[in-house]
């Protein structure tokens, strides 16, 4: 009944806490889920050869997941709020990306710009994530000659990859249903 009158019992959470929660949760999902993506791509029957993605290739995957989730913030928050959360999340992940914060920031900004270009073309976050992974891990080089020449992902592999990647998206709707962010 209280919800009906615009009054709710949502827990108030600071933007600092939200950025920490998001960063920790995404890092945990990335750390635990990368091996599944790695195995899926390295042993995929729809590729002619393995892309040989190694454990050391985790950084590119982490960056793709984070820039995609940061991009999605812009669909849920005002521009100023998105910027506040984005900057706090970046502060949290820079040390994980690399030892030198300046180099890590340049790398992050390059991935962010690249991802925005993909989203502008594809108009879908998960499609853009799949294309970014396809590109960064040079999956096209492992496909059949026809698909390689067309520079198009194998549709079966592509759709399976998108299903996997959907598990790396933060559920803002569920979070905002329970919490109110204080900026």
């Amino acid at each position: 009944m209280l919800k009906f009158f615009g009054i709710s019992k949502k827990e108030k959470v600071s933007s600092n806490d939200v950025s920490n929660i998001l960063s920790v949760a995404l890092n945990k999902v990335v750390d635990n889920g990368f091996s599944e993506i790695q195995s899926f791509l390295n042993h995929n029957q729809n590729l002619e050869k393995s892309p040989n993605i190694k454990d050391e290739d985790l950084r590119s995957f982490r960056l793709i997941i984070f820039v995609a989730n940061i991009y999605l913030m812009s669909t849920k928050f005002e521009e100023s709020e998105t910027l506040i959360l984005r900057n706090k999340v970046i502060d949290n992940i820079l040390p994980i990306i690399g030892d030198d914060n300046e180099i890590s920031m340049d790398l992050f900004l390059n991935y962010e710009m690249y991802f925005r270009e993909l989203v502008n073309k594809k108009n879908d976050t998960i499609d853009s994530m799949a294309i970014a992974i396809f590109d960064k891990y040079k999956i096209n080089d492992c496909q059949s000659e026809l698909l390689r020449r067309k520079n198009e992902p194998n549709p079966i592999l592509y759709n399976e990859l998108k299903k996997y990647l959907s598990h790396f998206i933060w559920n803002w709707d569920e979070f905002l249903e329970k919490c109110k962010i204080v900026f």
Side-chain angles (χ1 to χ4, degrees):
M1 185 68 154
L2 289 175
K3 210 173 199 180
F4 177 75
F5 292 111
I7 302 169
S8 68
K9 296 225 178 208
K10 291 183 180 183
E11 180 181 347
K12 291 184 180 180
V13 184
S14 73
S15 59
N16 256 354
D17 288 343
V18 171
S19 67
N20 288 334
I21 292 166
L22 176 67
S23 299
V24 168
L26 284 180
N27 271 316
K28 186 175 182 177
V29 169
V30 166
D31 288 341
N32 293 333
F34 177 69
S35 60
E36 287 186 43
I37 299 292
Q38 180 184 21
S39 179
F40 167 72
L41 292 170
N42 282 343
H43 303 101
N44 198 290
Q45 300 295 326
N46 295 301
L47 296 173
E48 287 192 348
K49 64 180 183 177
S50 172
N52 293 318
I53 299 169
K54 298 176 180 28
D55 293 341
E56 301 83 52
D57 298 327
L58 172 63
R59 181 168 65 176
S60 291
F61 183 70
R62 184 181 315 281
L63 284 162
I64 291 166
I65 299 305
F66 269 89
V67 297
N69 278 283
I70 287 172
Y71 171 79
L72 284 173
M73 282 187 229
S74 66
T75 65
K76 301 294 178 187
F77 302 102
E78 298 293 325
E79 188 176 336
S80 61
E81 296 169 338
T82 300
L83 188 59
I84 290 167
L85 285 174
R86 173 192 173 272
N87 290 340
K88 289 178 181 187
V89 169
I90 290 171
D91 288 343
N92 290 335
I93 66 164
L94 284 183
I96 297 166
I97 294 171
D99 295 332
D100 184 329
N101 274 358
E102 192 172 319
I103 292 171
S104 296
M105 183 60 137
D106 285 345
L107 187 58
F108 179 86
L109 293 173
N110 286 337
Y111 268 78
E112 188 175 49
M113 185 170 46
Y114 166 72
F115 190 79
R116 286 187 184 275
E117 289 171 9
L118 287 176
V119 169
N120 287 338
K121 289 179 195 171
K122 288 288 182 186
N123 214 17
D124 182 81
T125 305
I126 294 177
D127 273 343
S128 299
M129 291 167 69
I131 292 296
I133 286 174
F134 223 79
D135 187 31
K136 293 298 178 183
Y137 293 118
K138 300 184 185 333
I139 307 296
N140 192 50
D141 296 345
C142 304
Q143 296 193 107
S144 68
E145 186 176 338
L146 175 64
L147 290 171
R148 204 172 32 242
R149 277 188 289 152
K150 286 182 167 184
N151 195 23
E152 289 181 10
N154 177 303
I156 295 169
L157 173 111
Y158 185 71
N159 286 328
E160 287 179 42
L161 180 59
K162 287 187 341 183
K163 285 179 189 172
Y164 275 110
L165 292 174
S166 68
H167 298 286
F168 293 88
I169 297 294
W170 183 260
N171 188 339
W172 282 112
D173 292 333
E174 183 180 317
F175 184 82
L176 293 172
E177 194 175 290
K178 297 174 184 172
C179 301
K180 175 165 177 50
I181 303 173
V182 181
F183 288 92

